[in-house]
Amino acid sequence: METVVDSQQDGSASDCVTDREAIQNQSTHSPVSTVTQIHYLHSVPRKILNELSSDTPGVPKIEEEKSEEEVTPSNIATMAVPTSIYQTSTGQYIAIAQGGAIQIANPGSDGVQGLQTFTMTNSGTPQPGATIVQYATQSGDGTQQFFVPGSQVVVQAATGDMPTYQIRTPTSSLPQGVVMAASPGSLHSPQQLADEVTRKREHRLMKNREAARECRKKKKEYVKCLENRVAVLENQNKTLIEELKALKDLYCHKTE
DNA sequence: GCGACGAGACGTCACGAATC
DNA sequence: GATTCGTGACGTCTCGTCGC
């Protein structure tokens, strides 16, 4: 009589863990809701910015509105020196440059995703004292314009998938959620800010790289385990068939 | 030798689930 | 609610094989 070799004896088959039984369909849509203040989509710019960043993938870059002759992509380190840097209570950095560019960095997310630049111009102002913020979308859809009363305080009005920003006139009572830096620029230089964002991004990428490696390893082991189990069950099946056949023969001999 | 092709490994992004 | 983790999907690279 044959001995049935079960992989559970060596413990490998019993260690078969079902990773994810059902592979769910993953939709790539990003919900868009209408917000009355300045807003941008989180999911869209990331890929677009990566496409825009040419030779060094992984290095976040800010695409500013450029003049005809100036095509050099500006990254964080080379952007205009901000005159005011604010930090919201959520840790977000908002810098307003001398040229009127508003830069928003979201340290909670990766560098590319969380960086936005708005350019302020004063042309065609329909309201007295108002400033038009030109929001250049990275998708190439054109620019959206927002009217800004007076000057330059950017307020994060909402967070989540659809963060919104309000630009308000600074008053004695700051809007809730906004922390003004003691002296503009003293919190972090743009370089430090960029370094921090880059560092966090690289850390996240490194962790994800390792996780992906681990996940693949796990998946390979799981597949191996399943193949092993198939082999064992086939072997078991074959043995049982032979056993059945032998019993049948024995029964036939006895009845004869 | 060389281009085409498939397989496997890898990095990254996106997103849901789990955890804090 | 924010952060971290796990993983599917996608694109890219490398390597081996095959036909020419």
Side-chain angles (χ1 to χ4, degrees):
Chain A
M1 174 129 179
E2 282 183 52
T3 23
V4 177
V5 182
D6 194 330
S7 65
Q8 287 191 359
Q9 288 171 347
D10 57 36
S12 57
S14 60
D15 288 336
C16 281
V17 207
T18 52
D19 280 2
R20 270 193 183 175
E21 300 292 346
I23 299 167
Q24 64 249 28
N25 285 336
Q26 297 200 16
S27 60
T28 56
H29 73 279
S30 46
V32 178
S33 64
T34 314
V35 189
T36 52
Q37 286 97 27
I38 301 169
H39 61 265
Y40 71 93
L41 296 176
H42 252 255
S43 52
V44 180
R46 175 138 44 179
K47 269 196 172 177
I48 297 167
L49 277 176
N50 273 352
E51 286 167 12
L52 289 174
S53 63
S54 53
D55 46 355
T56 51
V59 179
K61 290 182 178 180
I62 294 178
E63 198 73 29
E64 285 185 298
E65 293 235 307
K66 36 189 179 230
S67 57
E68 295 86 25
E69 73 277 6
E70 193 166 310
V71 200
T72 314
S74 59
N75 64 15
I76 305 162
T78 59
M79 65 192 186
V81 179
T83 56
S84 308
I85 297 178
Y86 309 119
Q87 184 181 25
T88 69
S89 60
T90 59
Q92 228 161 5
Y93 295 106
I94 298 164
I96 300 172
Q98 280 176 334
I102 299 170
Q103 287 136 2
I104 298 172
N106 190 354
S109 55
D110 72 58
V112 180
Q113 181 178 353
L115 282 163
Q116 287 288 310
T117 296
F118 308 104
T119 305
M120 301 173 80
T121 66
N122 286 314
S123 57
T125 314
Q127 293 173 5
T131 306
I132 295 176
V133 175
Q134 288 181 334
Y135 170 35
T137 57
Q138 301 288 347
S139 58
D141 290 334
T143 60
Q144 299 174 14
Q145 295 187 332
F146 304 93
F147 300 107
V148 181
S151 66
Q152 23 171 265
V153 172
V154 184
V155 180
Q156 184 178 8
T159 56
D161 287 343
M162 178 72 73
T164 64
Y165 301 94
Q166 291 177 325
I167 298 180
R168 297 183 186 174
T169 309
T171 55
S172 54
S173 60
L174 277 171
Q176 199 180 4
V178 173
V179 178
M180 299 279 286
S183 74
S186 70
L187 189 64
H188 281 302
S189 73
Q191 178 66 57
Q192 285 173 315
L193 215 110
D195 286 349
E196 177 71 4
V197 169
T198 307
R199 192 188 60 79
K200 279 188 176 171
R201 174 183 157 78
E202 272 164 8
H203 180 68
R204 194 179 61 79
L205 286 179
M206 191 191 70
K207 294 268 267 182
N208 191 243
R209 206 176 302 141
E210 284 168 5
R213 214 173 288 152
E214 193 62 30
C215 185
R216 286 191 189 106
K217 191 177 154 195
K218 210 166 134 189
K219 193 175 178 180
K220 265 178 81 176
E221 278 171 10
Y222 176 63
V223 168
K224 237 184 226 172
C225 188
L226 285 180
E227 285 169 352
N228 204 23
R229 187 124 184 89
V230 166
V232 165
L233 289 173
E234 278 175 350
N235 197 20
Q236 215 170 348
N237 196 30
K238 194 175 152 194
T239 310
L240 287 170
I241 287 170
E242 280 173 5
E243 206 176 328
L244 180 66
K245 195 182 165 195
L247 285 171
K248 268 184 183 172
D249 285 351
L250 194 68
Y251 179 73
C252 285
H253 276 173
K254 278 195 174 179
T255 52
E256 279 173 8

